[in-house]
Amino acid sequence: MNILKKIILQLFAFLFCVFTLSAQTPADWVNPFIGTTNYGTTNPGAVVPRGMVSVVPFNVSGNSPLNARDKDDGWWSTPYSWDNKYFTGYSHVNLSGVGCPELGVILLMPTTGEVNGDHRKYGSEMSEQVAHPGYYSTYLNKYDIKTEVSASERTGISRFTFPAGQSNILIDLGNGLTNESGASIKIINDHEIEGWRMTGTFCYNDGTERPVYFVARFSQPAEEFGVWKKMPKMGHEAAWSATSNKIKYYKDFKAEMAGDSIGSWFTFNTKANDEILVEVGISYVSIDNARLNLNHETNNFDFEATRKQAEDKWNKALSKITVEGGNDDQKTVFYTGLYHIQIHPNILSDVNGQYPAMESFEIKAHPNGERYTTFSLWDTYRNVHPFMSLVFPQQQLNVVQSIIEMYDESGWLPRWELNSTETHVMEGDPAIPVLVDTWFRGIRDFDIEKAYEAMYKSATTPGTENKLRPDIDHYISHGYVPLMEQYDNSVSHALEYYIADWNLAQLAKELGKEDDYERFLKQSKGYKNYYDKEFEIIRPKLENGEFMPDFNPRQGENFEPSPGFHEGNAYQYTFCAHQDMDGMIALNGGKKEFVKKLQAIFDNGHFDMANEPDIHYPWLFNYVKGEEWRAQKELNRLMTTYFKNAPNGLPGNDDTGTMSTWIVYAMMGIYPVLPGDMNYALSTPVFDEVKIQLDPNFYPGQELTIKKTGSGYNISSISLNGKKQKSFFINHADLGKGGVLEIKH
Amino acid sequence: MNILKKIILQLFAFLFCVFTLSAQTPADWVNPFIGTTNYGTTNPGAVVPRGMVSVVPFNVSGNSPLNARDKDDGWWSTPYSWDNKYFTGYSHVNLSGVGCPELGVILLMPTTGEVNGDHRKYGSEMSEQVAHPGYYSTYLNKYDIKTEVSASERTGISRFTFPAGQSNILIDLGNGLTNESGASIKIINDHEIEGWRMTGTFCYNDGTERPVYFVARFSQPAEEFGVWKKMPKMGHEAAWSATSNKIKYYKDFKAEMAGDSIGSWFTFNTKANDEILVEVGISYVSIDNARLNLNHETNNFDFEATRKQAEDKWNKALSKITVEGGNDDQKTVFYTGLYHIQIHPNILSDVNGQYPAMESFEIKAHPNGERYTTFSLWDTYRNVHPFMSLVFPQQQLNVVQSIIEMYDESGWLPRWELNSTETHVMEGDPAIPVLVDTWFRGIRDFDIEKAYEAMYKSATTPGTENKLRPDIDHYISHGYVPLMEQYDNSVSHALEYYIADWNLAQLAKELGKEDDYERFLKQSKGYKNYYDKEFEIIRPKLENGEFMPDFNPRQGENFEPSPGFHEGNAYQYTFCAHQDMDGMIALNGGKKEFVKKLQAIFDNGHFDMANEPDIHYPWLFNYVKGEEWRAQKELNRLMTTYFKNAPNGLPGNDDTGTMSTWIVYAMMGIYPVLPGDMNYALSTPVFDEVKIQLDPNFYPGQELTIKKTGSGYNISSISLNGKKQKSFFINHADLGKGGVLEIKH
């Protein structure tokens, strides 16, 4: 029987290959331009799943009239904007879907004619953009250069098709999205250069700086090369200097060069349509490792081979889920969402396993697998990690192993980790729900006792020494975090702690730590302290137990500061105690009143689709029997209103895949409302059929099919493998057995 | 006989040692403060003979009221000024006696209290300066810190005696004398740091940049450390940044850091009078070599051992000449001159023999001995190298071997070489007289055919391809360099070429190249083209053969620009054809007229003691029999007027020892008027007796004694080893045989 099964599987695999060769592959349904405006902050650059490197068209600098807005005008957090057309090169390390400026450095720029190192001069209008997973191309109008890029995990490859004449390739280490500065380069010979560039200051926070190292190699020797440096402005001495406050060019320079703003050029005599390629290896460990990564992952300037490998990797990842039905735009929104989920967290470790340890300059090596980075946990704990546990469980295992290593290395769990630094952005203790949720989903090949130790530490250490919960003393003594300063986000802090503590309680129970269970469960109910009967909503509270005066529950809309709340207002936080649904419903006056208040939030425009605190709200209707239709209705509205096959097709920051996970789940008709709780809330799938390949190393089932039958979006009944379900929830363990979840309409 | 001789020598050596132990050593007669004001541009820093490293109190920056003038106010070319009191650290690579800003970097500064990386803030008033060859000390009033420094060839050592409390040692890689910028550092651990600092732009010329590498090691682990960087000024984004245009401090930072202005700090908790020492190894090749140099030359923080070794090296070098008679000030002026002669040229090669090749980024290794650098040849060809040939012939052999290597490596002889770059400063072809003079003085262990090839190349290559003589085409076709632009220094150029060509002719004759001899000898007489009968002086000439109109022979005094002349005027250049004394005398109207005109230059104040073109003038009287008394008289006047045992004791820039060589020769009563001509002009010695130890590897004699007998400065007769001399000249070969040159008065 086993052999027969194997043959059938192989046959299936073969047929699938034939199919994908002759028809559209999942990657063909990805539109990398989705989210590249309307603050989605995604980008169309070339990247492979969880690649350390992404090669992104950088068009957000230079104050050109071709740019609608750029980084020099104010807060700006993405290397690319759909609304901009002033291209100044391809950046090789980038963040996708974040709200803070960082990375966007090591810029590779082709030009023609005389070399100029000033990006305000050398930039070009871009046109004819093409983006496909693992591939991006644009034409530079000013220079008549076609540019194409692709990537492997740790390298980028660029192919520039030049006109006849003097053609240059610049590597600019000055310009970039990050607000950190400083770089060093050394030209090795006429076709290779190495160096590093400082990064850090994510969200303008100091203390998170690291160099990123690179080696770049050209497909042919340059006829001329050199480095440049923007010279500091001199005082009186400027009278004798030709280069004060100007760019100084060092032709044939082959020693190290360092400065705040430096770059290098390689010049070639080209005939029309000559192609010159550049491969760039990246590492966060050392130049040696960047070279090792480059040597290991290069296809020796075979652009098509790298592109093909990148596309194959995307198809492999994206084909974990196949969909039937739905229109082309819906398929595109879905697969682009799945694509965005595969960008962060990303690989930090080099091909030899080395990586910089958390909050340290020590170099460690990952014993097995890859070390991940870019943990925007306040966002992603809500849905990204549960999703990864279901669809990419090996990757999610890497996530929790990385998180535990970070604790080992730094003594603390991460909150918003970037390249082995804690950026201290956002609040709460979001690694706890990630670890607990992953454990409960059955992904357990990690040291749970050490994980518990780490979680217990942040949940119990006094505030003066507590890096994750600095206000824990009040939290424990008062049961809530009082407002001590106007914009201290105290309520948001506490609400995160309640969820984390509820998760920790569940795990404590599982591990037989009864006392801890009682303690943390009790703590998790402290949210009730914030409920103000006058306004019938949660409200910031003072140390003396009184509510904050002059309260306006609407304050906090549109990212304006709001006392007690971070990136939201009281409406968007008031139903964030879903770890205690019964309690929260009772607190809000019972089921009827709860549904009324929840519906009013949608009806009165208080729901914010663009930020995380309230993104679970639609599914909360499922907790009141008979009101599930409201979820189906609101979700249908939200999906069609905010998610589109268009550059403005995300409601706001993708938040390293959180918004994309939201839409992917919503389109499949399931949502893990509360991390740590294994029940998915069900709603109307967009597709007639969704097939999820289950990883046999983690799940007993092989394939889960979510089948939508009937029409419209009102669900009439639900059955799993033919057995009718009593509620609008379904358990993760049941789904993991595979089979067919039928949602009838 | 040989054995007896050896015993006598050993006995002498022993007696000498006893003497030096019980009495003043030559080093005790050195006053390193001579030349540290009045534009002498020497410094009192700790250095060993020809050391790559000098540890110099840097007090020329910060715009403090404690400074009479500093580098931020305008042209400034020395890391130290006697007139300044605002100390901002010890710089570890420095030039002595030059007129252009360069080096003066890798600043080590002790402070107390809170760390501040801004030299305008952290600097301190200095007092209680002590300087002795190989040792310097000053007290920092602001911090109550005693600082002492010493050096080996390639390392510096600092000993800081701190008060009780928080004590810091800063390494500032931003501030410096050079106008180049950019540095990189990496803290290795709590007691070691490595990095490099860009240098270059000597005389504000671009194209001469190189990094200088260092490793610094502390005698005890720091309790805290970090790096800083002056952050660039942001635009709109500054609203969110705490560090825009400010110094940003990176505590515990242990990765690479780079930028225009960076530094690091190491902090210690000290008790009163705690000593912390720092050793700094330097290399122009690599950080690895800097560490190698440090490991090789360190005395493991034994300051007194390093100081003793440095002093011993000075005594060994300075005791090549001993003097009797003269007053203390005269002895001090003399030995300080000899000290300055031993600073440049200096060692460039590391302990493993490696050095950066000339005009290249290749690393070479010196097969035997040391590679030298800092060849200010336009200055030093006149007297420094003839002096070295007589007193330090092995060092002079190193000089010519280095010069020939530079030709091998770059294809051209050097003119003003600094750290294996050609700075293109000043004019002419001064390596030619150095090579020829050295050869004729009997120092011949170098490839004379290759040397001839190199000299022939610059003397014959057409101007468009000629790096040393760009105006050679006119020079050959017209016999002179015409004035083509107002300040093209055309006459100065040609006068240098005539001297070089005369030297080349002498060597050609020696090597049996008769045609070349005739050709270059003829060329060397072209100076006559410039003689203008109207003004009875040399005068710039136009391409059409007419003299430059609107001529003022005085123009060019005090460094004002002067058409045709560089750093001088017609008076100071008119007797610079001393390669053809008979011809020049005839041109000037015969002996009587020549003496009259020469005397008038002195009498009318046209003689410039502070610059090179005319420094041989006093001895020109010796060329007219019966007029030698004028030389004796003028020299007596010049020596007492311009050379003093005081900070203003040099007439102007020491010019890497040229002025010091002038006074040392003058005080001994001999002067090599014309390089390539083996006749020394004689004049009145200052001392009763001068003994020069001759190197038996180069000279048949062992000791040359110049004895002054009688009183006054009018010479009555001269005898060598008892044989009365007919002229006021004596031949080098005769002196090299040793014995007694008696100058009677």
Side-chain angles (χ1 to χ4, degrees), chain B residues 138-202:
Chain B
T138 190
Y139 174 79
L140 306 187
N141 303 14
K142 179 175 169 184
Y143 298 119
D144 183 24
I145 298 171
K146 182 181 182 185
T147 74
E148 298 167 283
V149 294
S150 186
S152 69
E153 280 75 6
R154 298 167 186 89
T155 78
I157 185 167
S158 300
R159 177 165 65 185
F160 302 129
T161 307
F162 286 104
Q166 178 179 334
S167 294
N168 318 298
I169 298 176
L170 316 180
I171 299 181
D172 190 345
L173 300 178
N175 196 19
L177 186 59
T178 181
N179 291 297
E180 187 52 77
S181 64
S184 173
I185 36 174
K186 186 176 181 184
I187 293 176
I188 303 301
N189 54 41
D190 58 10
H191 60 280
E192 187 165 324
I193 180 169
E194 65 182 33
W196 51 269
R197 209 295 189 185
M198 282 300 300
T199 66
T201 70
F202 183 66

Side-chain angles (χ1 to χ4, degrees), chain A residues 482-502:
Chain A
L483 188 87
M484 305 296 282
E485 291 172 31
Q486 188 179 16
Y487 298 122
D488 63 4
N489 302 331
S490 48
V491 186
S492 299
H493 289 206
L495 289 170
E496 295 296 335
Y497 301 156
Y498 299 134
I499 288 178
D501 283 352
W502 179 84

Side-chain angles (χ1 to χ4, degrees), chain A residues 155-271:
Chain A
T155 77
I157 184 167
S158 301
R159 178 165 64 186
F160 302 129
T161 307
F162 286 104
Q166 177 179 336
S167 295
N168 318 299
I169 299 176
L170 317 180
I171 299 181
D172 190 344
L173 300 178
N175 196 20
L177 186 59
T178 181
N179 291 298
E180 186 52 78
S181 64
S184 173
I185 35 175
K186 186 176 180 183
I187 293 177
I188 304 301
N189 55 40
D190 57 11
H191 61 280
E192 187 165 325
I193 180 168
E194 65 183 33
W196 50 269
R197 207 299 187 180
M198 282 301 298
T199 66
T201 70
F202 183 65
C203 295
Y204 294 92
N205 287 327
D206 293 332
T208 61
E209 302 82 4
R210 272 194 198 285
V212 54
Y213 305 87
F214 75 94
V215 171
R217 210 171 273 161
F218 297 81
S219 59
Q220 65 184 68
E223 276 144 68
E224 189 193 296
F225 57 76
V227 301
W228 76 70
K229 179 167 56 185
K230 174 77 189 294
M231 299 301 284
K233 192 176 177 182
M234 290 179 173
H236 283 81
E237 311 134 296
W240 301 287
S241 172
T243 53
S244 170
N245 205 30
K246 290 182 184 161
I247 294 180
K248 179 171 168 183
Y249 297 87
Y250 305 71
K251 196 169 162 295
D252 300 327
F253 196 81
K254 281 174 77 179
E256 288 89 348
M257 176 61 71
D260 289 349
S261 183
I262 62 172
S264 79
W265 77 90
F266 285 70
T267 289
F268 308 84
N269 251 318
T270 47
K271 300 188 300 297

Side-chain angles (χ1 to χ4, degrees), chain A residues 213-470:
Chain A
Y213 305 87
F214 75 94
V215 171
R217 210 171 273 161
F218 297 81
S219 59
Q220 65 184 68
E223 276 144 68
E224 189 193 296
F225 57 76
V227 301
W228 76 70
K229 179 167 56 185
K230 174 77 189 294
M231 299 301 284
K233 192 176 177 182
M234 290 179 173
H236 283 81
E237 311 134 296
W240 301 287
S241 172
T243 53
S244 170
N245 205 30
K246 290 182 184 161
I247 294 180
K248 179 171 168 183
Y249 297 87
Y250 305 71
K251 196 169 162 295
D252 300 327
F253 196 81
K254 281 174 77 179
E256 288 89 348
M257 176 61 71
D260 289 349
S261 183
I262 62 172
S264 79
W265 77 90
F266 285 70
T267 289
F268 308 84
N269 251 318
T270 47
K271 300 188 300 297
N273 298 316
D274 271 0
E275 289 178 356
I276 299 174
L277 291 91
V278 190
E279 292 186 331
V280 180
I282 296 287
S283 165
Y284 288 90
V285 170
S286 66
I287 287 171
D288 285 349
N289 274 17
R291 185 170 282 111
L292 191 72
N293 290 342
L294 179 56
N295 290 342
H296 192 265
E297 297 184 358
T298 179
N299 285 306
N300 297 310
F301 303 105
D302 184 341
F303 186 88
E304 294 306 326
T306 301
R307 178 186 179 174
K308 172 75 166 50
Q309 285 168 359
E311 192 169 1
D312 289 350
K313 286 168 192 166
W314 278 115
N315 274 320
K316 190 178 167 197
L318 298 173
S319 61
K320 294 288 178 198
I321 305 182
T322 48
V323 297
E324 294 287 327
N327 60 35
D328 284 1
D329 280 349
Q330 286 170 326
K331 278 186 184 166
T332 305
V333 166
F334 182 83
Y335 276 110
T336 305
L338 198 51
Y339 169 84
H340 286 146
I341 296 170
Q342 282 286 319
I343 290 175
H344 300 302
N346 57 278
I347 298 165
L348 176 66
S349 48
D350 294 323
V351 291
N352 61 4
Q354 290 186 328
Y355 63 90
M358 182 70 181
E359 295 283 276
S360 160
F361 295 97
E362 262 188 271
I363 302 306
K364 300 235 172 193
H366 203 296
N368 45 15
E370 287 149 342
R371 169 68 166 249
Y372 281 176
T373 185
T374 318
F375 289 118
S376 177
L377 297 174
W378 179 86
D379 300 302
T380 60
Y381 89 86
R382 298 164 202 271
N383 58 22
V384 171
H385 299 290
F387 184 89
M388 288 176 70
S389 289
L390 179 64
V391 184
F392 306 105
Q394 180 58 53
Q395 293 180 357
Q396 179 56 23
L397 181 58
N398 276 5
V399 166
V400 294
Q401 284 172 342
S402 295
I403 286 175
I404 293 166
E405 285 172 0
M406 290 171 190
Y407 167 71
D408 254 350
E409 293 156 8
S410 73
W412 293 95
L413 291 169
R415 184 196 291 149
W416 211 128
E417 181 272 357
L418 178 60
N419 294 334
S420 273
T421 65
E422 175 54 60
T423 65
H424 304 287
V425 170
M426 303 310 293
E427 58 263 307
D429 209 349
I432 291 181
V434 173
L435 293 167
V436 172
D437 183 83
T438 306
W439 177 262
F440 279 117
R441 288 189 199 279
I443 295 159
R444 299 188 169 187
D445 188 16
F446 62 93
D447 186 343
I448 191 64
E449 284 297 337
K450 180 172 281 178
Y452 191 84
E453 168 195 311
M455 294 187 277
Y456 187 88
K457 182 177 178 183
S458 64
T460 59
T461 300
T464 48
E465 293 159 33
N466 197 318
K467 291 206 175 178
L468 287 162
R469 305 190 190 191

